[in-house]
Amino acid sequence: MKKVLILSGSPRIGGNSDILCDEFMHGVKISGNLATKINVAQKKINYCNACYYCRNHGGECIFNDDMAEILSAMIAADVIVLASPVYFYSINAQLKTVIDRTLARWLEVKNKEFYYIITCADKDVKSAQTTLDCFRGFAACVQGAKEMGVIFGTGVYDKGKITGTAAAKQAYEMGLKV
């Protein structure tokens, strides 16, 4: 049984990225694995200020916020799903803040399988490429990281438009195969 952590970067609960996370999670649970979804935009997470307090304090961050819980979950997970809508050809600030804050214990986030969920209003998947590159850039820093799948939900802007699409089906099916 695998532990799957889904980090939904969408600031819109029930938004398109968040819906794909739910579809993926449904597949994970049906397949008999454990799944936890964290809506990072709903958490209090300060920006990393590169003070390196963590370096001299066993990975403890100077900030007492929700990131400690998220980072512990990342370390414990076998699988990490990163999900973000495209914001100016990149990941959104909420998820980027989480990635930056892994600095405190990033060497402990190792041997993970990664899945990426990306949504955007543009129908052209090329508009999501830089977002995918950001996810891959983080994974490149994770020892033993393996990319397992990418889901693109393109041509969706209004909340909920992803429901019933091929991307929603793909998210569910990918979750089944974790």
Side-chain angles (χ1 to χ4, degrees):
M1 181 179 317
K2 291 184 181 178
K3 293 181 200 169
V4 179
L5 176 64
I6 302 168
L7 297 175
S8 177
S10 178
R12 297 190 299 182
I13 300 296
N16 295 312
S17 298
D18 199 46
I19 289 169
L20 292 184
C21 288
D22 289 342
E23 290 294 330
F24 191 97
M25 185 166 66
H26 183 61
V28 168
K29 288 181 176 181
I30 292 292
S31 70
N33 292 294
L34 298 173
T36 301
K37 182 179 85 167
I38 297 175
N39 295 92
V40 299
Q42 304 299 309
K43 299 291 186 176
K44 181 181 178 353
I45 306 168
N46 292 299
Y47 303 111
C48 179
N49 65 8
C51 68
Y52 297 106
Y53 179 90
C54 57
R55 187 183 327 167
N56 301 317
H57 293 87
E60 181 183 341
C61 184
I62 197 167
F63 296 117
N64 184 15
D65 60 11
D66 294 329
M67 188 59 202
E69 164 199 344
I70 294 169
L71 193 46
S72 290
M74 291 174 78
I75 292 165
D78 301 303
V79 177
I80 297 175
V81 179
L82 300 175
S84 177
V86 173
Y87 279 24
F88 295 98
Y89 300 104
S90 189
I91 61 177
N92 68 342
Q94 292 87 346
L95 192 56
K96 179 65 167 110
T97 301
V98 168
I99 290 171
D100 290 346
R101 285 287 303 283
T102 63
L103 175 67
R105 296 175 64 193
W106 72 278
L107 292 174
E108 296 175 65
V109 182
K110 58 185 175 184
N111 303 319
K112 306 299 179 194
E113 295 178 355
F114 281 94
Y115 291 86
Y116 309 122
I117 296 174
I118 302 166
T119 59
C120 64
D122 195 334
K123 292 179 183 173
D124 189 347
V125 75
K126 290 179 187 175
S127 296
Q129 188 60 50
T130 308
T131 305
L132 178 58
D133 291 343
C134 288
F135 286 153
R136 287 177 171 162
F138 172 63
C141 297
V142 173
Q143 180 185 346
K146 294 181 192 169
E147 182 176 314
M148 303 302 290
V150 179
I151 301 160
F152 293 106
T154 58
V156 293
Y157 179 78
D158 294 330
K159 187 175 180 179
K161 290 291 183 180
I162 200 78
T163 302
T165 65
K169 182 179 179 187
Q170 181 188 18
Y172 171 74
E173 290 174 354
M174 212 173 275
L176 283 174
K177 294 176 184 173
V178 162

